[in-house]
Amino acid sequence: MKAVILVNPYLNTEAERYQPRRIAEELSALGVSVCVVPNRWTAHTERDGVAEALSGAYDFCVYLDKDKYIPRVLERQGMRLFDRASAVEICDDKILTHIALAGAVPMPRTYFSPLCYKADARADGAEEAGRALGYPVVVKECLGSLGQQVYLAEDEGGLAALSERLKLLPHLYQEFIAESAGRDLRAVCVGGEVVACMERRSEGDFRSNLAAGGRGIAREATDEVRALCRTVCERLSLDYCGVDLLFGKDRLLVCEVNSNAFFGGIESATGVNVARAYCEHMVRVMRQ
Ligand SMILES: Nc1ncnc2c1ncn2[C@@H]1O[C@H](COP(=O)(O)OP(=O)(O)O)[C@@H](O)[C@H]1O
Ligand SMILES: [Mg+2]
């Protein structure tokens, strides 16, 4: 079997290069020949041509990028992607994720900001969300990661300023889960099952992302964690993902889902070989 690993062309840190390197090593150990290719196709027609060439040359694609357009083109050419294009798309956008999971798993109460297309308009909708949710309010841009596009509005003034700043970008307002301030759970799932779980803790910030200074501590995945993750993976057709869970008063809440979660941090915290688990899953699926 032959696999292509597509990576974002702007990768430059060691942490970013770790993921494709480990996947390539583990796939090779399973007898798959592997090529790592930067996802660098500019014109659409050219993309389709490249996609055709790629799908002719490889049996499957490990998609480690976040670009949600190229997966559509690749699937149109018959390529099996890990993760699938629809899963990449839904996870890329926090509002789409919320809509897809609504009613299936508990999540913090959430309001979507109305989309604004006029730079000179006054931001609308935040005041109502603030009244309904109570302060502080968590504000998230729909496209974002590593905690960098997640904010906390302490009061009405702070929320108004944030919503004005973000009005031209899709974003949401969310209930602040106080019990979870500075801590959450990250569960990495392969084929719908949790393979590694850690608590992330941050001092001095409500966001516990490792990239923002959070620390990972290995945790057993409880039945509650496993059941929530199974539902998430099934709903979104995910082969691989990292699910963020918040500690609510009396139950866990799904915070967000990452189709291409970095696994270096959770491997260090838990000692689990996530790369191997993912590669074994891909080979099993492709041999079915
Ligand atoms: N509603 C919330 N209440 C409390 N903390 C939150 C809430 N939403 C997010 N957080 C914290 O912020 C972090 C980043 O938010 P998340 O939605 O996962 O965005 P990102 O894609 O940037 O990781 C979470 O890991 C969690 O620690
Ligand atoms: Mg997150």
Side-chain angles (χ1 to χ4, degrees):
M1 251 186 313
K2 287 187 182 164
V4 59
I5 301 176
L6 285 180
V7 296
N8 188 274
Y10 296 98
L11 296 193
N12 50 20
T13 67
E14 175 44 34
E16 291 169 329
R17 288 199 200 99
Y18 174 79
Q19 198 114 331
R21 189 177 72 237
R22 287 292 301 126
I23 297 274
E25 284 168 4
E26 293 293 345
L27 281 177
S28 303
L30 293 167
V32 178
S33 71
V34 189
C35 221
V36 180
V37 175
N39 211 1
R40 188 191 288 123
W41 313 328
T42 44
H44 176 264
T45 47
E46 200 182 318
R47 275 183 183 185
D48 229 339
V50 175
E52 196 178 342
L54 277 181
S55 41
Y58 300 98
D59 299 296
F60 66 99
C61 169
V62 191
Y63 197 71
L64 298 185
D65 200 0
K66 262 177 81 116
D67 178 323
K68 63 188 173 208
Y69 307 112
I70 290 168
R72 284 279 170 207
V73 186
L74 285 166
E75 277 188 358
R76 183 163 67 194
Q77 297 295 342
M79 180 80 98
R80 171 61 157 100
L81 263 81
F82 295 87
D83 278 310
R84 293 180 188 281
S86 65
V88 171
E89 257 171 44
I90 292 173
C91 293
D92 184 50
D93 180 326
K94 289 179 167 63
I95 286 183
L96 283 183
T97 310
H98 194 89
I99 292 168
L101 295 177
V105 293
M107 291 182 284
R109 283 187 300 139
T110 299
Y111 281 67
F112 311 150
S113 171
L115 295 182
C116 172
Y117 303 101
K118 295 179 179 171
D120 57 355
R122 215 173 127 254
D124 188 23
E127 215 179 300
E128 188 192 334
R131 258 197 315 273
L133 296 171
Y135 290 93
V137 172
V138 176
V139 181
K140 301 183 187 183
E141 294 179 37
C142 284
L143 311 188
S145 45
L146 312 175
Q148 285 168 2
Q149 289 79 20
V150 175
Y151 318 94
L152 198 60
E154 296 291 349
D155 51 30
E156 219 176 288
L159 187 61
L162 262 174
S163 76
E164 186 56 35
R165 178 151 75 81
L166 301 178
K167 71 183 174 198
L168 297 175
L169 302 170
H171 61 283
L172 60 81
Y173 307 112
Q174 191 166 80
E175 173 189 12
F176 175 62
I177 307 301
E179 298 80 1
S180 206
R183 59 192 279 260
D184 70 356
L185 282 177
R186 159 60 64 89
V188 165
C189 308
V190 171
E193 294 299 324
V194 177
V195 297
C197 182
M198 68 176 167
E199 182 173 336
R200 299 184 299 185
R201 283 196 189 174
S202 175
E203 311 293 332
D205 197 308
F206 78 102
R207 296 162 298 184
S208 50
N209 304 69
L210 298 187
R215 202 163 41 89
I217 306 150
R219 291 280 181 253
E220 262 322 298
T222 59
D223 290 346
E224 185 184 13
V225 171
R226 291 185 184 281
L228 285 174
C229 288
R230 251 181 234 127
T231 306
V232 165
C233 294
E234 202 178 310
R235 272 265 166 143
L236 307 187
S237 293
L238 284 153
D239 287 284
Y240 169 84
C241 69
V243 181
D244 293 350
L245 299 163
L246 299 169
F247 297 99
K249 252 197 201 77
D250 46 17
R251 59 180 180 170
L252 294 171
L253 304 166
V254 175
C255 172
E256 68 140 358
V257 187
N258 302 277
S259 66
N260 54 355
F262 287 132
F263 54 65
I266 199 163
E267 283 188 337
S268 308
T270 63
V272 173
N273 187 338
V274 172
R276 181 179 301 162
Y278 190 16
C279 291
E280 285 173 351
H281 167 78
M282 289 187 276
V283 169
R284 201 179 314 124
V285 168
M286 292 311 297
R287 289 207 171 120
Q288 269 166 11

